[in-house]
Amino acid sequence: MVPDEDLGPLVATEMTRCIHCTRCVRFMDDIAGTNELGGMFRGEHLEIGTWIGRSLRSEMSGNIIDLCPVGALTNKVFRFRARPWELIAREGIGYHDSIGSNLYLHLRRGEVLRAVPRDNEAINENWLSDRDRYSHQALGHSDRITRPRVKRDGIWQDIEWDEALKLAADGLRSAIATHGGDGLGVLASPMASAEELFLLQGIARGLGSPHIDHRLQQLDFSDDAARPLAPGLGAPLAEYPAARAILLVGADPRHDAPILGHRIRRAWRNGATIHAVNPLGFDHHFQLAHDLIGDPAAQLSGLAAIARAIAAQRGMALPEEFAAIEPTAEAAAAAIARNLVESEPSRVLFGDHAARHPAASLLRRLAAWIAEHSGSVFDELPAGANGAAAWRVGCVPHRGAAGRKTNQGLDARAMLASPRKAYVLLGAEVPADFADGAAADKALSQADFVLALSAFSTPSLEQHASLILSLALPPETEGSWVNAEGTVQTISAAAKPPGQARAGWRILRMLGHDLGLAGFDLIDFAALASVVRPLLSGGAADSIGTPGTAPAAVSAGEGFIVQRHLPIYAVDAVVRRSAALQSTVLADESVLALHPEDSIALGVG
C-alpha cells in the first residue's frame, strides 16, 4: 500500500496503481517546464510525488491524467461521477483565450462532466490547459440565471420570454425616442460567438448608435483608425517552435495563452533566444536572454532603445515619434536588436499586458516597426476568445462588418467616462470584466435603462440592470470562433442550457425582429452562419485614418500609472466560478505590484 499524495484540487492520486513509468515526471519537466514531480527513494521503496509536498502549480497539470497508463492519476473533479459508457462525446473548443484549443466534452443527459483534449496539430496538438479542462464546473453554478427576469419596484421577478422580449424592445425604443441613437451604449464580452456579436452590432447600428465595443479591458484606443481589421498572429501558431529569436512585449504567454506558452517553450528548447520588455518579472518556464522590466513609461523607453538600435544597424532614420522617446538599457537593447535582425525566423509577440498598457497605441506601433525592420513576424493576441471575430463582424465603434467605415462611435472606455442613457450588455460582467470597474458601476447607475444578456447573476448586475435575459454559455450553444491565427471554428451545441436560458443569437435575432430592424429574419443557425462566415475569413482592411496621439500621462505628470492585468483564473465569468480552478495555487495570485522606491516612500511592506 503506497500512501496517496495530495497534488491539489485538479488531480487525484491512486499511487498503489503506479508502475513508475515516469510519464508524469517527464511531462512536467519537458512539456510543462515546472519540474514539480520526481521519484523519491530507491528500489522497491520508489515513490512518485512532488518534491516538497505542495500542490501542482502548472497551468497544464491536467495533461498528466491523460498520460498515466494505469489510472494512478485521475481527474479529481470527474472522479466517481460517471462510468465511461454513460457518456456521450461532443466536439468543443476552449473559449478562455484566443488559441481556440480543440477538445471533447463528455456529457451525461445534457450535463458536461469532463473535458479532454481533441487532437489538432495546428492548434493545441494533444494538450489542453487546465483553464479549458476544468471550467465546465461553472456551467452548473448557483449564480446561473435560468429564465428572464425583470425589476419591478426594486424587486426582481421571473417572467416568460414573450414578455421579456417585448419589455426589451419597448425599453430600447423608449430610450432611442428620448435620447436618440447617441444615448445608447453597447458593451460585449469577447467570449461571445461571432453570430452573437454580428447580430448585436446590427441592433446597435439599426437603432442609430455607433457606440459598440468588445475591448472592455483596454485603456488606449487612439490608433483605432489606423489599425488593420483584426489583430492576430502574423504566421501560423505551429511555426513558433521553429523561431530562432522571440521578443515578448507585455506578454506572459504561460498564463495569457498556455498553449502558446508551450509553443514558445518548445522554441526555447530548440535553441531560440527569447527576450522580454515587460511590466513585471513573470515566472516563465523558459529562460530569457534579456528581461527589460519597467513601469509603463520604461516599457516605451526600452522598446524605443531597441528600435533605435535596429535603425542604426540598418543605416536608416528612426521615425520622429520614436526618436523623441528617451531610450534606456541601450546595451541590452542593442543585443536584442542584433539577435532579431540576424536570426531567421524571428517573431515579436504583442501580448495581453501590452494591449492594456495606458499608451498601448504607441507601444503597438513601436513593436510593429521593430518587427518590420528586423525581418520578424508581428503577432498580436486578440482580446478574449473571439476578439478577432469581433473586429471582423463590426463589434467595434469605428468599423462595420467586413471593415466597412462607419460613423465614429465611442469606445468602451469613453462610453463609461461619458455615460449613456441606456446600455445593452452581452455577457459583460460589471465590474470584473472592465479595465475601470468603478467607472463601469458609476456609468450604469446613471442609466435610465440597462438590458443585460447574462448567464450569471451578480450583486452589481441586480443593482444596475432593468431587465436580464438568461444567456446560454458557449458549450450550450452553436457558434463560430476565430482564433489568433485566423482559423474559423464552428461548433454545435453540446450541453443543455439550464432552465429557459437561450442561445444569445436566438435572443438577439428575436429582439431585432421585434424592433423591426432589417436583416433579422434568419430563423435558423445555418442561415445566420452563412451570412457571418464570409465576414470571418476576410483579411486585413485598409486603414481609415491616421493614429491619434498616445495619452500624455505615460510620459509626464505626477501620481501613479496603473496597468491592470487579470490572473489566469479570473479572465472571465466562467473561470471565476470554477470551484476547482479557484482552489488552485495560481488562483491566489492577485497582486498589487509597486516599484520598490514607491513602496518605501509610501511605507508599504
Side-chain angles (χ1 to χ4, degrees), residues 18-320:
C18 181
I19 59 172
H20 305 153
C21 68
T22 70
R23 284 187 177 186
C24 57
V25 176
R26 286 176 284 151
F27 172 83
M28 300 304 287
D29 289 355
D30 298 340
I31 306 299
T34 52
N35 305 95
E36 296 179 85
L37 294 176
M40 290 164 284
F41 312 115
R42 297 190 179 198
E44 64 181 8
H45 300 293
L46 177 65
E47 295 179 16
I48 302 296
T50 58
W51 294 106
I52 55 176
R54 70 179 188 184
S55 297
L56 297 178
R57 299 180 64 89
S58 172
E59 69 285 354
M60 295 180 66
S61 63
N63 290 287
I64 62 177
I65 297 167
D66 305 323
L67 289 170
C68 183
V70 293
L73 304 171
T74 58
N75 186 324
K76 187 173 281 190
V77 172
F78 173 71
R79 186 177 169 90
F80 301 135
R81 294 200 62 194
R83 304 301 296 169
W85 54 83
E86 297 180 273
L87 304 177
I88 297 175
R90 292 285 185 267
E91 292 185 354
I93 61 172
Y95 55 97
H96 306 297
D97 57 48
S98 59
I99 301 303
S101 296
N102 287 204
L103 53 85
Y104 285 111
L105 297 167
H106 288 174
L107 302 94
R108 182 180 61 187
R109 294 188 291 277
E111 179 187 6
V112 180
L113 296 184
R114 71 175 172 186
V116 297
R118 174 162 53 98
D119 289 357
N120 188 326
E121 289 297 320
I123 298 177
N124 58 305
E125 299 169 291
N126 57 345
W127 309 122
L128 198 60
S129 71
D130 291 346
R131 191 163 58 187
D132 290 331
R133 186 184 293 267
Y134 293 101
S135 64
H136 66 83
Q137 264 197 314
L139 300 182
H141 196 274
S142 59
D143 286 349
R144 284 303 300 266
I145 301 173
T146 59
R147 57 186 303 170
R149 307 178 71 196
V150 66
K151 186 190 292 183
R152 290 181 172 135
D153 299 323
I155 305 298
W156 283 100
Q157 300 175 4
D158 292 341
I159 56 176
E160 298 301 322
W161 272 106
D162 289 346
E163 182 183 3
L165 289 168
K166 182 179 185 303
L167 290 173
D170 290 346
L172 290 174
R173 283 196 198 96
S174 177
I176 297 301
T178 305
H179 307 290
D182 186 61
L184 174 65
V186 181
L187 299 161
S189 166
M191 186 174 71
S193 72
E195 289 75 17
E196 292 167 348
L197 295 167
F198 173 74
L199 292 174
L200 184 68
Q201 65 87 32
I203 289 177
R205 293 193 165 97
L207 293 174
S209 173
H211 312 315
I212 179 169
D213 211 345
H214 70 281
R215 300 162 297 172
L216 311 182
Q217 292 284 353
Q218 194 167 312
L219 293 172
D220 178 21
F221 302 85
S222 58
D223 64 344
D224 273 359
R227 294 189 64 187
L229 175 58
L233 303 184
L237 175 68
E239 293 181 8
Y240 250 100
R244 309 312 300 160
I246 300 172
L247 173 61
L248 307 179
V249 180
D252 179 16
R254 180 180 163 191
H255 288 180
D256 295 347
I259 296 300
L260 173 59
H262 157 65
R263 298 274 192 177
I264 294 175
R265 173 174 166 78
R266 279 185 57 193
W268 171 72
R269 286 174 59 86
N270 291 340
T273 305
I274 305 178
H275 318 275
V277 179
N278 275 334
L280 295 171
F282 298 118
D283 184 18
H284 299 294
H285 47 18
F286 44 78
Q287 292 180 1
L288 295 175
H290 297 92
D291 192 6
L292 306 186
I293 301 172
D295 64 22
Q299 292 168 58
L300 288 171
S301 297
L303 272 193
I306 298 172
R308 189 183 297 263
I310 290 174
Q313 291 177 34
R314 297 289 195 188
M316 58 190 300
L318 193 64
E320 185 176 337

Side-chain angles (χ1 to χ4, degrees), residues 332-599:
I336 295 171
R338 191 179 311 109
N339 184 234
L340 289 174
V341 170
E342 295 175 356
S343 301
E344 187 179 349
S346 56
R347 302 182 77 142
V348 175
L349 175 62
F350 191 83
D352 192 58
H353 284 266
R356 301 182 190 195
H357 191 283
S361 58
L362 180 54
L363 200 67
R364 183 181 293 107
R365 290 197 294 278
L366 267 166
W369 190 94
I370 288 170
E372 178 184 358
H373 295 282
S374 66
S376 305
V377 173
F378 179 68
D379 299 321
E380 179 179 356
L381 288 180
N386 219 13
W391 276 82
R392 289 172 174 167
V393 301
C395 202
V396 285
H398 58 291
R399 294 184 187 275
R404 290 188 294 270
K405 184 177 180 179
T406 63
N407 294 333
Q408 178 66 48
L410 299 178
D411 55 63
R413 189 183 188 189
M415 272 186 259
L416 303 178
S418 177
R420 305 294 92 190
K421 293 298 182 179
Y423 287 97
V424 177
L425 306 178
L426 174 62
E429 198 164 84
V430 179
D433 285 339
F434 290 80
D436 190 340
D441 263 324
K442 182 178 179 181
L444 292 181
S445 68
Q446 298 176 25
D448 296 335
F449 180 72
V450 177
L451 171 62
L453 284 72
S454 178
F456 300 104
S457 176
T458 67
S460 179
L461 182 66
E462 294 194 356
Q463 178 184 351
H464 301 312
S466 311
L467 178 66
I468 302 175
L469 305 182
S470 48
L471 185 68
L473 288 166
E476 302 162 347
T477 178
E478 52 275 280
S480 302
W481 279 261
V482 180
N483 75 356
E485 66 178 14
T487 301
V488 181
Q489 302 185 91
T490 301
I491 59 170
S492 300
K496 182 180 178 182
Q500 296 183 24
R502 291 186 179 180
W505 71 267
R506 293 182 183 275
I507 300 171
L508 293 167
R509 189 208 68 79
M510 292 185 290
L511 178 58
H513 181 268
D514 289 354
L515 287 167
L517 304 177
F520 286 83
D521 53 351
L522 303 171
I523 61 174
D524 59 55
F525 179 77
L528 175 60
S530 68
V531 173
V532 175
R533 184 85 183 202
L535 305 177
L536 302 180
S537 57
D542 294 332
S543 64
I544 56 177
T546 56
T549 304
V554 173
S555 57
E558 296 294 330
F560 287 104
I561 306 169
V562 178
Q563 187 169 348
R564 185 176 187 240
H565 180 71
L566 293 174
I568 182 172
Y569 298 142
V571 295
D572 58 53
V574 177
V575 294
R576 288 194 290 266
R577 289 175 173 82
S578 170
L581 293 177
Q582 294 307 315
S583 299
T584 62
V585 178
L586 293 180
D588 191 28
E589 290 199 346
S590 297
V591 297
L592 173 62
L594 293 171
H595 190 282
E597 294 179 6
D598 292 325
S599 178

